[in-house]
Amino acid sequence: MTVDYFTEDGLIKQIGLTKEYWNKVIIKEIIDNALDAIEPLNSKQIYIVQDVSSMGIYDNGNGLSCDTVKSIYDFKFYISQNRVYVTASRGKQGNGLKTIISICFLKKYRLLWHTNEGVILEGTIDPERVKDGEICVEFKEIGITQKRGIEICRYDLHQSSFYKNYVYFYSVCNPDVSFHLDYLGTEFHNPATIKCVDKSQNISLAYYDFDTFKQFITKTQDGNTTYKKFLEEYFGTRIKNKSRIKSKIKDIDFSDQEFINDFLMLKEDQQTKKYTLLKKQLIGLSNVLNTSIEIEDSNSLIGKNDMVIPCIVEFSVRKDTFKGDANRKEADIECYINNSITYNNSWSIGFDGGWYKIGNKSVYARDLDDLLKDMSNFSFVFHIVSPYLKFTDAGKTRIDITCFFNELLEKLNKAIAKENRIFSSDNKRTNNRAVMRDYVTDAFNMASDNGRYAITARQIWYKMREISGVEEKKHTYADFTQEILTEWIDDNPEYEDKVNFSDRGNFFVNGSQNGLGTANVRSFINSIGTSQNIFRCYGGISSNIHIDPDFDLIYKYDKVLYIEKTGFDAIFKAEKIGEKYNMIIVSGQGFSTRAAKMLLYKFQKMGLKLYCLHDLDISGIYILESFGTPNKKFKECIYMEDLGVTLSDVEKYHIEPEKVEIKKEDKKKLNNLSYGYRRFFDAGTFYRRVELNAFTTGQILEMLEDKLSCVNNLPTINLEDSLNIDHKAVRETAFMRIMADKYREQLEKIHIPIDLSSFKGKYTVDMAKKEIPNIEEQLIERYEREIMQKLNIS
């Protein structure tokens, strides 16, 4: 009965929580509703204000209208249609605000609604009529407001720490929301830490059983809506196009086997993406477990009500010595569910009672508090995201995670062991390379959201430092990128396209400059060979046709030049060296990167000849030789021809070598060079070198001309086989030329004044894009009528 909301025993049955929890219920429900209201916004703001006489919670959303507020006081039905959406939500049962009304009535608080019409509305419930089983409400406008939200007068005053805790915990599980607290005039702010994420559209067919899906359709749709339009609105065009049902909602027989099969087919289609939407709700904890909750319907013979519901558990484990905190006896544990707080924190996450091994001890546990409370030198944060969770009480204060607890426990123990390794006896790790190898997979998963996103090597490195304790010193990052990460990519080739090393140089193809990084190289390599040397001729009702040549790469280039330093590539571009010698130019920064070798090896396999232009110094010679020597970074041989600088170039142009201090590593390299190079470089405690910069641009261009002018291996193209003629286009173009010549003088005399005053106003780009085609069409139509009349064309 509706009056059950307005008795203490009845309300306890409705919400499952006794009276001492009701003030917490008020704040949690109002904040959850505010967060739902601002979910789609690009800037999300929550304001909590406590003064001497009232507490208010406001947001920057659209707010509720007076009519909506009045309808909430009708306890015979639910206002929110969201309760039929199966999503990973904060609640969306439609009765949260009704609960607030009931609590305020029983605790004799005044409940004020700050509406989007700018008025403060109060609904007063007659207590005498409630005794008679009736809910009679009198509404009164008591002022004006610029706020959107709820204010509660006479709310029991709490200490500032009470509100600060709420702001802190909600900020953790909603990092894209800014929270503002005004406590008796003292302000506290928790700004958003990440870019806003819209989680309001996280709806998927994969989350539904048949009965729930049927209820969703019938309770939200007008009967005249087509089923395909419904699918498109909620699940997207692709799902709409896959469905075989073309009827209006009112004409569908939901018990028909055709409709059931259609539902099961669409549901299965979305199974592969069932985690995608849930990942929007992750808050960035370091460990992520993708699991599922299986629900079987024993009465369902065809499995239409069986469900495998996706569930993601993210958690962090942090160990500290807490040497200065002698009073700390238990672990610090925080628990969140679907971007909201729990009423009882770690007591809220339960499972089958039993003995479980955690860390290096065994404990009897029925929930996370039992399991972890003795681990006093650890801090834990858990966040569970799922469109379905098994609650064990009416107040949703406790969920049962038995179905995936063993998976979680296994991953949790690994995370604890990892933390213990970090905090070894002296809290330092000596073998950084060994440590990095242990953590590279976890660092990649953290940085890429378990392989969902492409990332940079530097992003993996930051997560590596965060979870391993390795510090960034002189060689650690170079060791990581050049050795550890390269080995890991070789062992995990399926993720190579996800890891992008920064651009270390450029390459020039088809007149455009591209950064020499893994993402650009990978994209370019994937595009090679897509051209077919079919030159498409097209046109239409115009005075000309167009022939688009689609040359394949091998018909435009027969050679590649790799330069060991950037800067000269810009000179070569200005002098059109690439076009002159049919040559792709790749410029690096010293020794070639993995991306550069990937690109050059691809060119080699295509049959292009490769040249290397380098300084005449010890590193330059090793750069040239390194291409032909497989290593951990790249296991293929690349055959390069030495284009210079050579000993003969120095002699020809009378370049005076400079002397530089020889380093210890250079002495070792020098001993491995040929006699001619050793004789040139070795100058006792110094060594000689000649850089490319010692030559004038004219001299370098002359060096290229001497060595490349006689090389030409370009294949030829048979235009007879390649030209694709569009006869309709050619025919229409010929006709328009005849018509233009015939009527040119008459056309030049026709002029219509154009008045664009109706389009006066400021347009956004999107508005202008929509409006301009309409303007074009109107202008053409006016001239069509004028030309037909003046030239007597019908």
Side-chain angles (χ1 to χ4, degrees):
M1 294 178 61
T2 57
V3 291
D4 286 342
Y5 277 94
F6 298 94
T7 65
E8 184 172 331
D9 290 342
L11 187 55
I12 290 173
K13 292 177 183 177
Q14 288 285 339
I15 64 177
L17 293 165
T18 53
K19 196 171 184 178
E20 61 266 25
Y21 282 98
W22 288 359
N23 279 339
K24 292 184 178 180
V25 171
I26 287 177
I27 292 189
K28 174 174 161 50
E29 289 295 336
I30 297 178
I31 293 179
D32 282 350
N33 273 278
L35 288 169
D36 288 340
I38 63 177
E39 194 65 80
L41 304 183
N42 291 326
S43 173
K44 305 178 185 181
Q45 311 286 334
I46 298 289
Y47 304 89
I48 303 173
V49 180
Q50 172 74 65
D51 60 28
V52 293
S53 61
S54 68
M55 183 274 296
I57 298 176
Y58 313 101
D59 60 72
N60 65 325
N62 293 329
L64 298 174
S65 67
C66 290
D67 287 342
T68 300
V69 171
K70 292 175 182 178
S71 65
I72 295 171
Y73 281 79
D74 187 340
F75 283 76
K76 295 177 184 177
F77 69 97
Y78 294 106
I79 297 300
S80 176
Q81 288 187 336
N82 289 337
R83 69 191 311 269
V84 298
Y85 296 171
V86 181
T87 64
S89 68
R90 299 178 181 89
K92 291 187 178 179
Q93 294 304 303
N95 65 344
L97 295 179
K98 285 180 166 59
T99 301
I100 303 300
I101 294 170
S102 307
I103 293 174
C104 289
F105 173 82
L106 291 169
K107 292 181 75 72
K108 296 182 171 54
Y109 297 154
R110 289 182 64 197
L111 177 57
L112 309 180
W113 305 81
H114 291 250
T115 67
N116 60 16
E117 288 135 323
V119 300
I120 302 174
L121 188 68
E122 181 177 14
T124 304
I125 299 173
D126 187 340
E128 296 301 319
R129 301 287 289 272
V130 169
K131 294 178 183 178
D132 297 332
E134 297 181 63
I135 309 301
C136 183
V137 188
E138 179 184 354
F139 293 98
K140 183 188 302 182
E141 295 182 7
I142 62 170
I144 60 175
T145 182
Q146 293 183 334
K147 300 175 181 177
R148 302 287 184 270
I150 293 175
E151 180 183 1
I152 300 177
C153 301
R154 307 182 194 132
Y155 182 79
D156 294 348
L157 187 64
H158 290 277
Q159 299 298 319
S160 62
S161 59
F162 177 87
Y163 294 103
K164 286 181 180 178
N165 284 340
Y166 266 87
V167 169
Y168 166 76
F169 290 128
Y170 266 107
S171 294
V172 172
C173 60
N174 293 274
D176 61 337
V177 180
S178 294
F179 290 86
H180 310 273
L181 170 61
D182 181 344
Y183 181 79
L184 301 179
T186 302
E187 296 186 356
F188 308 89
H189 301 282
N190 272 39
T193 56
I194 66 171
K195 186 178 179 180
C196 287
V197 180
D198 183 4
K199 302 181 283 288
S200 63
Q201 303 302 317
N202 60 341
I203 182 169
S204 169
L205 250 175
Y207 303 162
Y208 282 82
D209 63 66
F210 181 76
D211 290 340
T212 308
F213 184 64
K214 182 173 67 174
Q215 187 180 55
F216 176 30
I217 298 172
T218 55
K219 290 196 174 184
T220 63
Q221 300 302 302
D222 179 271
N224 289 315
T225 303
T226 65
Y227 179 63
K228 281 186 175 286
K229 184 176 180 181
F230 157 75
L231 290 176
E232 182 177 35
E233 179 179 356
Y234 291 99
F235 304 107
T237 303
R238 188 173 64 85
I239 287 295
K240 178 200 77 169
N241 293 338
K242 282 181 173 290
S243 175
R244 302 184 184 95
I245 307 298
K246 299 180 180 179
S247 310
K248 292 183 177 179
I249 300 292
K250 65 181 180 180
D251 298 325
I252 293 177
D253 179 1
F254 292 111
S255 62
D256 185 75
Q257 192 62 46
E258 181 187 16
F259 184 80
I260 295 172
N261 291 340
D262 190 78
F263 161 74
L264 294 174
M265 181 268 294
L266 297 179
K267 176 181 169 72
E268 180 63 27
D269 182 81
Q270 288 204 324
Q271 284 296 322
T272 57
K273 297 185 177 180
K274 58 187 178 182
Y275 291 102
T276 303
L277 296 173
L278 297 186
K279 288 182 178 179
K280 289 183 178 181
Q281 300 187 223
L282 297 182
I283 61 178
L285 303 181
S286 54
N287 300 277
V288 179
L289 170 66
N290 290 344
T291 184
S292 59
I293 303 169
E294 295 188 12
I295 304 169
E296 295 183 1
D297 184 354
S298 58
N299 298 318
S300 176
L301 298 179
I302 62 170
K304 65 181 181 180
N305 285 334
D306 291 346
M307 289 188 291
V308 178
I309 302 296
C311 178
I312 301 179
V313 184
E314 57 175 332
F315 66 91
S316 66
V317 179
R318 181 172 58 86
K319 185 176 182 179
D320 207 341
T321 56
F322 299 106
K323 292 178 180 178
D325 189 358
N327 296 320
R328 177 162 177 170
K329 304 298 183 183
E330 297 182 354
D332 183 11
I333 312 170
E334 298 174 24
C335 295
Y336 306 94
I337 299 174
N338 291 340
N339 302 109
S340 186
I341 65 172
T342 60
Y343 281 114
N344 287 312
N345 207 16
S346 54
W347 286 279
S348 296
I349 315 298
F351 41 84
D352 284 350
W355 286 92
Y356 298 97
K357 185 172 179 61
I358 186 75
N360 58 2
K361 63 182 76 174
S362 293
V363 298
Y364 183 85
R366 294 166 298 179
D367 53 47
L368 287 182
D369 185 71
D370 287 342
L371 184 73
L372 302 171
K373 65 181 179 181
D374 292 336
M375 305 191 71
S376 58
N377 56 345
F378 279 88
S379 297
F380 301 90
V381 182
F382 295 88
H383 181 214
I384 300 175
V385 184
S386 179
Y388 173 87
L389 291 167
K390 183 180 179 181
F391 289 92
T392 59
D393 64 326
K396 296 187 175 181
T397 65
R398 188 177 176 91
I399 66 168
D400 183 354
I401 66 168
T402 301
C403 60
F404 58 81
F405 174 67
N406 287 331
E407 292 177 76
L408 175 60
L409 182 60
E410 180 182 358
K411 196 170 183 68
L412 182 59
N413 270 318
K414 288 181 179 179
I416 291 171
K418 185 181 297 183
E419 282 294 296
N420 280 325
R421 288 197 301 271
I422 295 172
F423 282 81
S424 56
S425 58
D426 60 352
N427 200 25
K428 291 183 179 179
R429 310 305 279 289
T430 57
N431 189 343
N432 283 336
R433 291 189 179 187
V435 174
M436 289 190 286
R437 286 188 176 92
D438 287 342
Y439 287 90
V440 63
T441 297
D442 290 329
F444 168 80
N445 287 333
M446 289 174 63
S448 67
D449 195 2
N450 289 325
R452 178 183 178 189
Y453 299 110
I455 52 176
T456 67
R458 190 74 178 168
Q459 286 176 292
I460 304 178
W461 170 244
Y462 270 72
K463 292 303 178 185
M464 167 70 70
R465 293 187 313 182
E466 179 182 323
I467 64 177
S468 70
V470 171
E471 297 180 2
E472 183 164 358
K473 296 182 180 179
K474 184 177 180 180
H475 297 296
T476 49
Y477 180 63
D479 287 345
F480 176 69
T481 54
Q482 295 180 20
E483 182 175 335
I484 309 301
L485 188 53
T486 299
E487 291 174 357
W488 184 85
I489 291 173
D490 288 339
D491 293 336
N492 300 272
E494 68 274 20
Y495 293 127
E496 182 164 5
D497 63 344
K498 295 291 186 181
V499 181
N500 296 305
F501 293 85
S502 58
D503 295 352
R504 287 182 56 83
N506 306 291
F507 64 99
F508 294 79
V509 182
N510 293 331
S512 64
Q513 176 177 318
N514 305 273
L516 192 60
T518 47
N520 286 336
V521 167
R522 193 181 300 118
S523 175
F524 175 77
I525 288 176
N526 290 338
S527 71
I528 292 175
T530 57
S531 299
Q532 298 177 343
N533 294 326
I534 295 176
F535 308 148
R536 293 175 176 83
C537 166
Y538 64 93
I541 301 297
S542 66
S543 61
N544 202 0
I545 61 171
H546 306 277
I547 298 177
D548 273 359
D550 191 22
F551 292 98
D552 200 5
L553 195 70
I554 60 173
Y555 289 89
K556 293 185 282 187
Y557 302 101
D558 62 354
K559 58 184 77 70
V560 180
L561 173 63
Y562 177 83
I563 321 166
E564 70 156 287
K565 56 181 63 180
T566 56
F568 286 95
D569 46 10
I571 296 173
F572 293 167
K573 181 180 179 182
E575 295 298 323
K576 294 184 169 47
I577 296 301
E579 293 85 347
K580 183 176 182 179
Y581 298 111
N582 307 314
M583 184 167 63
I584 295 170
I585 298 173
V586 181
S587 66
Q589 296 176 6
F591 282 85
S592 60
T593 62
R594 183 184 182 93
K597 289 190 173 182
M598 286 169 52
L599 181 64
L600 294 169
Y601 184 68
K602 178 64 178 180
F603 290 145
Q604 178 176 285
K605 290 179 66 177
M606 292 170 56
L608 277 67
K609 195 166 185 178
L610 309 183
Y611 298 86
C612 181
L613 185 62
H614 58 87
D615 292 334
L616 184 58
D617 59 9
I618 296 175
S619 293
I621 302 303
Y622 271 85
I623 287 170
L624 175 63
E625 293 185 355
S626 68
F627 284 107
T629 307
N631 56 29
K632 292 180 179 179
K633 188 161 54 177
F634 198 80
K635 297 180 179 179
E636 305 292 344
C637 290
I638 300 174
Y639 303 103
M640 308 283 286
E641 184 168 322
D642 189 2
L643 203 60
V645 175
T646 64
L647 295 172
S648 59
D649 293 328
V650 173
E651 184 178 351
K652 176 180 178 180
Y653 294 104
H654 308 291
I655 305 296
E656 182 66 29
E658 63 178 320
K659 291 182 179 181
V660 294
E661 184 178 355
I662 189 166
K663 299 177 182 178
K664 185 176 181 179
E665 57 265 30
D666 289 328
K667 287 183 179 180
K668 186 175 180 180
K669 291 179 180 178
L670 184 61
N671 292 331
N672 294 324
L673 293 178
S674 66
Y675 172 76
Y677 283 129
R678 287 204 311 271
R679 182 180 176 187
F680 175 80
F681 290 133
D682 195 356
T685 57
F686 296 86
Y687 85 89
R688 301 182 187 92
R689 74 177 184 190
V690 176
E691 291 192 330
L692 279 165
N693 294 311
F695 295 84
T696 67
T697 297
Q699 289 171 339
I700 292 176
L701 296 179
E702 188 177 19
M703 288 162 54
L704 295 180
E705 179 68 12
D706 290 344
K707 298 169 184 178
L708 298 178
S709 59
C710 60
V711 180
N712 189 351
N713 298 314
L714 284 179
T716 57
I717 298 170
N718 186 341
L719 285 181
E720 180 184 6
D721 297 333
S722 301
L723 192 56
N724 186 14
I725 300 297
D726 183 343
H727 289 273
K728 179 176 179 292
V730 178
R731 186 170 57 246
E732 291 179 352
T733 299
F735 172 75
M736 287 305 299
R737 287 186 179 181
I738 294 171
M739 295 295 288
D741 288 340
K742 182 176 181 180
Y743 290 104
R744 179 171 284 110
E745 292 184 7
Q746 294 96 317
L747 283 174
E748 289 177 352
K749 296 176 182 179
I750 298 174
H751 178 79
I752 300 176
I754 301 296
D755 181 10
L756 297 178
S757 60
S758 61
F759 300 103
K760 183 178 181 180
K762 296 181 179 179
Y763 290 83
T764 65
V765 171
D766 288 340
M767 293 166 60
K769 285 181 178 179
K770 293 178 181 178
E771 194 65 60
I772 288 173
N774 297 329
I775 297 174
E776 291 175 346
E777 192 60 33
Q778 291 179 33
L779 298 178
I780 292 171
E781 287 177 355
R782 291 185 62 185
Y783 264 103
E784 281 181 350
R785 292 192 295 269
E786 188 73 10
I787 289 171
M788 291 174 66
Q789 179 181 351
K790 292 289 179 64
L791 301 184
N792 194 25
I793 300 174
S794 60

